[in-house]
Amino acid sequence: MNSLLKVTKTEIVLFFRDKTTVFWTFLFPVIMIWLFGSMFGDQKINGLSYSSVYIPSWIAVNIMTVSFFTLGTVLANYREKGILRRYQLTPIKPWKILAAHTIQGAVIFGISAIVIFLFGYFFYDLQLPAYIGSTFGALLLSLICFFPFGLLMTSLAKDTKSAAAISSLLLNLMLFLSGATFPLEVMPQVLQYVAKILPLYYVVELLRATWNTSPLWDNGVDVLVLFLIGVASIFLSTKFFRWSGQKV
Amino acid sequence: MDSVITVKQLRKQYGDVDAVKDVSFSVGKGEIFGIIGPNGAGKTTTIEILEGIRKRDGGEVQVLGMDPEKNRRNLNARIGVQFQSTAIQEKIKVKEALDLFSSFYPNNDNLGDLIEKLGLDEKMDVYFEDLSGGWKQRVTLALATLHSPEIVFLDEPSMGLDPQARRDLWDIIHYLRDRGSTIIVTTHYMEEAEKLCDRIAMIYGGKLEALGEPKQLLEDLATKYLSFYSRDADENILSRLPGVISLENTEGHYRIMTEQLQRTSYHLFKEGEERNWTIEGFQFERGTLDDLFVHLLHKEETA
C-alpha cells in the first residue's frame, strides 16, 4: 500500500485508541448539546429553533477541537518524542506525513460532524441544511483555515504540555466568547467586539447562515475573513513548522 | 577494504562551544565501528552529522560516496538509524509499526528473518508503550534494519538494558553485520566497545583521542596492572616503587598501574620481604578500555 495511505490509516486507528480524545471529540459535544438543549427548551432564537442555531455551532467547535488537539497537539508530541525526526530518516517525503495527518484530521472531523448531526436529527428535530452545497463549502473553507492555524499554534509551543495548554486556552476562549455556545446578545458590548477577533466567530456565523438562511455568496464578509486567515495560517505554518525540537 | 564512510577534519559548534573539533576517521565496509566516549563528548553530534540530520560547520563527510547534508533523501533508503531515545507512537502495535515502516521502503524481503531473529513473533500484538526497554529496543532496531541497509547507525543502543539484554543485542548486531551491513555504534560502556567493535574511535571533549582496534590500543598504551591484597603495605612506599604510574587502594586491595611489570613486581616483593608485609593473591592484569579512558582523561586534565 502507498505510504501516504498507510500513515493516514495508522493515525486514524491510533486516534480511536486514545479514549480521552475520543471523549472530547465525540461525546463532549453531544453532552453539551443535550445540556444546553434542556436550558433553551422550545424557545425560539431570532425565529429559529435551538437545534438549527446551536447544533451547527457545535460542529464548528469541533473543527477547532480537531485542529488543535487531533492535529496540533499530537504533532507537537511527535516532534518532542522524535517521531517526526525518525520519519525524516526514512525515504518517505515530508509532505506526505503532513498530508496524512491532515486527511486523518478531516476524516475524524467528518465522523464527529455526522455523529452530531444524527444526534440533532433524531432528538432535536434538526433539519438538513437549507443550502447544503454552501454548508459543505463553508466546512471545507473552515478546515483550510483552522487546520494550519492549529499546526501553527502548536509549532510555536516548545513541547506537548505547552501545546496542550495553548490549545485549551484558545478552545475555551472561543467556546464561550465566539457565540458558539452562549448567545452574544446577552454579553457586554466589549465582549461582543472581542468575539469578532476570534476566527471561530466567522465559522459559526457562516455555518448558521448556510444551514438556515442564506447561501455562501450572500455571506461575503465571513468568507473573506476565513479565506484571509487561511492564507495567513498556511503561510505562517509552512514558515514555522519544525520537524525537530533540537537545534540543527 | 573499501571505506563506506570518510570523515575529514569534522567541526561542529553550538554557539561558542566546540562540540566536535577536527575529527577524522574512516570506516571500512563490513566493520563494526564504535564511537566511544563519556556523555557529552560529541558522539551523538558526530553520528547525526553522518546521518545527515545535523549540519556541520567544517570538514568533509562522505557516506556511501555522498555528502549526507546534500543527499539525505538518497541516503535514507540505504542507511538504517536507531536514535538514542527510542520512540515511536505509544499506542501502536508492533506489527502495525513494522507494517508502517515497511511501506516506506521498496525492498524489505528480509523482514521475516529479522522478526524471527529478534524474537518479535510473540510481541506482534503488543502496544509499543507496554513493552519493556529491551523489547522496545528490538522493535526500533527492526524498524531501522528491515530494509537491509548498507550502513546501520546505532546511538547508545545498550543504554538502560540489563546485562542479558545487552548480550542479546551484541548477538543481533553481529547478525546484522553478517547479513552485510556496516555498523556504526556509539557507547559509553568501554566493556561493550571492547567486546563488540572491530575498531573504535575514542572521543573526549569533541576531540579524537584514540583510533584503532581495541586490542591494539590497549597494547600501545603500554600500561599494565598488578594487583594484590595486603593489610600492612605502606601506600607511600608503594607509590614510589620504580615504574609506578598510579595506585588504587580499596580496603587493602591494591591495583598498581605500571610501565614495567617485572621491575615493579621485583621491587614490590623486595620491599615486602624487608618490611615484613604479607602479600596475597598477587596477579598481573591487562588494562581495559576503561583504564585507557581514565588514562586519557588524566592526561587531558594535567595537560
Side-chain angles (χ1 to χ4, degrees):
Chain A
M1 208 201 301
N2 179 305
S3 51
L4 170 63
L5 286 179
K6 204 80 171 194
V7 180
T8 311
K9 197 188 129 203
T10 307
E11 289 302 331
I12 292 174
V13 170
L14 290 178
F15 172 86
F16 283 101
R17 285 189 189 148
D18 185 349
K19 299 293 172 274
T20 330
T21 49
V22 170
F23 170 81
W24 288 104
T25 317
F26 293 107
L27 233 50
F28 178 69
V30 167
I31 293 171
M32 294 309 273
I33 288 167
W34 172 72
L35 272 178
F36 278 88
S38 46
M39 266 160 49
F40 279 100
D42 290 333
Q43 205 180 317
K44 289 275 175 209
I45 302 138
N46 299 329
L48 295 166
S49 70
Y50 161 70
S51 65
S52 59
V53 174
Y54 282 99
I55 291 181
S57 71
W58 275 104
I59 293 178
V61 167
N62 253 25
I63 294 181
M64 199 172 59
T65 315
V66 169
S67 37
F68 286 154
F69 288 97
T70 307
L71 272 177
T73 308
V74 166
L75 283 169
N77 178 252
Y78 284 8
R79 176 173 47 233
E80 191 188 348
K81 288 231 178 85
I83 296 172
L84 294 182
R85 211 153 167 260
R86 184 66 192 80
Y87 280 140
Q88 275 192 301
L89 283 166
T90 69
I92 190 170
K93 293 185 178 69
W95 70 263
K96 285 191 180 175
I97 299 292
L98 291 185
H101 278 269
T102 310
I103 297 168
Q104 175 237 20
V107 169
I108 302 291
F109 166 71
I111 300 172
S112 77
I114 291 168
V115 168
I116 295 170
F117 171 77
L118 289 178
F119 182 71
Y121 184 81
F122 286 114
F123 297 99
Y124 289 91
D125 294 325
L126 177 67
Q127 300 302 304
L128 276 173
Y131 302 90
I132 198 156
S134 285
T135 305
F136 276 110
L139 285 176
L140 190 67
L141 182 62
S142 308
L143 289 182
I144 293 171
C145 159
F146 259 99
F147 275 10
F149 192 73
L151 285 186
L152 173 65
M153 279 305 155
T154 46
S155 281
L156 299 177
K158 258 209 216 114
D159 49 32
T160 319
K161 261 190 203 158
S162 39
I166 294 177
S167 298
S168 300
L169 179 73
L170 288 174
L171 183 72
N172 282 304
L173 200 68
M174 293 207 228
L175 201 54
F176 297 113
L177 296 182
S178 66
T181 52
F182 292 107
L184 282 179
E185 297 81 54
V186 302
M187 294 192 188
Q189 195 70 43
V190 184
L191 288 184
Q192 295 192 24
Y193 284 126
V194 170
K196 295 188 181 173
I197 317 174
L198 302 172
L200 188 64
Y201 170 83
Y202 299 94
V203 178
V204 169
E205 288 290 296
L206 196 58
L207 272 183
R208 275 182 187 158
T210 56
W211 205 291
N212 299 302
T213 51
S214 52
L216 211 51
W217 48 90
D218 285 353
N219 296 278
V221 176
D222 297 331
V223 172
L224 185 68
V225 171
L226 288 179
F227 177 75
L228 291 178
I229 295 175
V231 171
S233 63
I234 287 172
F235 172 74
L236 291 172
S237 62
T238 47
K239 198 165 156 57
F240 285 103
F241 189 82
R242 288 172 298 132
W243 290 91
S244 163
Q246 301 175 17
K247 279 187 285 186
V248 237
Chain B
M1 209 187 295
D2 301 341
S3 34
V4 287
I5 293 177
T6 331
V7 177
K8 279 182 197 152
Q9 307 282 302
L10 180 64
R11 277 195 307 107
K12 175 73 187 176
Q13 285 171 300
Y14 297 119
D16 293 338
V17 184
D18 291 321
V20 179
K21 286 178 256 184
D22 293 330
V23 168
S24 305
F25 60 84
S26 65
V27 181
K29 193 167 185 292
E31 269 193 302
I32 298 180
F33 187 83
I35 299 176
I36 69 178
N39 295 328
K43 301 185 302 276
T44 300
T45 302
T46 306
I47 206 170
E48 287 185 349
I49 288 171
L50 299 181
E51 291 160 3
I53 46 169
R54 217 171 262 282
K55 289 195 163 83
R56 59 181 186 269
D57 293 322
E60 277 175 47
V61 177
Q62 287 237 313
V63 178
L64 297 170
M66 291 180 266
D67 181 340
E69 219 171 276
K70 292 179 188 137
N71 293 298
R72 204 182 73 217
R73 281 267 98 71
N74 292 329
L75 216 48
N76 277 346
R78 297 171 64 187
I79 65 170
V81 172
Q82 185 181 41
F83 285 139
Q84 195 173 118
S85 47
T86 57
I88 53 171
Q89 289 87 331
E90 285 172 0
K91 291 232 185 278
I92 199 166
K93 287 180 185 167
V94 172
K95 65 174 177 203
E96 292 166 345
L98 291 170
D99 196 30
L100 178 66
F101 274 72
S102 298
S103 77
F104 300 161
Y105 299 97
N107 160 40
N108 40 57
D109 307 334
N110 293 320
L111 183 57
D113 281 354
L114 189 65
I115 289 172
E116 202 189 315
K117 177 70 194 168
L118 291 166
L120 287 174
D121 325 52
E122 45 171 316
K123 301 284 182 189
M124 289 305 245
D125 285 311
V126 181
Y127 293 138
F128 186 73
E129 63 175 354
D130 294 333
L131 294 169
S132 70
W135 282 105
K136 280 184 179 161
Q137 196 69 261
R138 282 170 186 239
V139 172
T140 53
L141 200 56
L143 299 180
T145 55
L146 51 82
H147 55 295
S148 306
E150 290 165 62
I151 306 178
V152 180
F153 293 96
L154 307 170
D155 197 0
E156 298 274 359
S158 56
M159 188 135 75
L161 296 187
D162 62 48
Q164 184 56 49
R166 194 173 299 163
R167 254 151 247 275
D168 292 346
L169 176 76
W170 297 348
D171 194 35
I172 293 162
I173 290 174
H174 278 121
Y175 161 80
L176 292 171
R177 192 263 296 277
D178 295 343
R179 218 176 60 169
S181 301
T182 303
I183 317 279
I184 314 294
V185 55
T186 71
T187 180
H188 63 263
Y189 298 112
M190 300 305 150
E191 187 210 356
E192 175 165 273
E194 219 174 314
K195 294 199 172 142
L196 180 67
C197 302
D198 299 321
R199 282 198 313 134
I200 54 172
M202 214 175 234
I203 293 183
Y204 178 71
K207 281 201 296 203
L208 185 69
E209 295 287 356
L211 177 70
E213 291 171 27
K215 224 188 272 170
Q216 197 59 48
L217 288 180
L218 290 172
E219 266 163 34
D220 292 352
L221 184 65
T223 47
K224 309 275 160 39
Y225 288 81
L226 51 90
S227 70
F228 58 91
Y229 292 92
S230 177
R231 249 166 279 131
D232 35 25
D234 184 336
E235 221 177 297
N236 287 323
I237 296 169
L238 288 176
S239 61
R240 282 197 305 261
L241 292 176
V244 171
I245 299 169
S246 69
L247 177 147
E248 291 163 38
N249 175 9
T250 14
E251 294 173 23
H253 179 247
Y254 291 88
R255 197 157 177 264
I256 295 176
M257 186 186 190
T258 170
E259 283 164 339
Q260 299 153 300
L261 272 181
Q262 190 178 331
R263 195 151 169 249
T264 308
S265 311
Y266 168 74
H267 285 279
L268 167 69
F269 285 108
K270 188 164 163 274
E271 292 286 340
E273 273 300 296
E274 283 166 11
R275 291 167 199 272
N276 253 333
W277 295 343
T278 332
I279 293 172
E280 287 173 322
F282 176 89
Q283 58 183 16
F284 291 139
E285 275 181 16
R286 271 178 46 99
T288 61
L289 281 181
D290 257 325
D291 299 319
L292 173 60
F293 199 67
V294 171
H295 179 73
L296 288 173
L297 245 148
H298 192 70
K299 230 174 57 185
E300 181 85 7
E301 275 159 16
T302 49

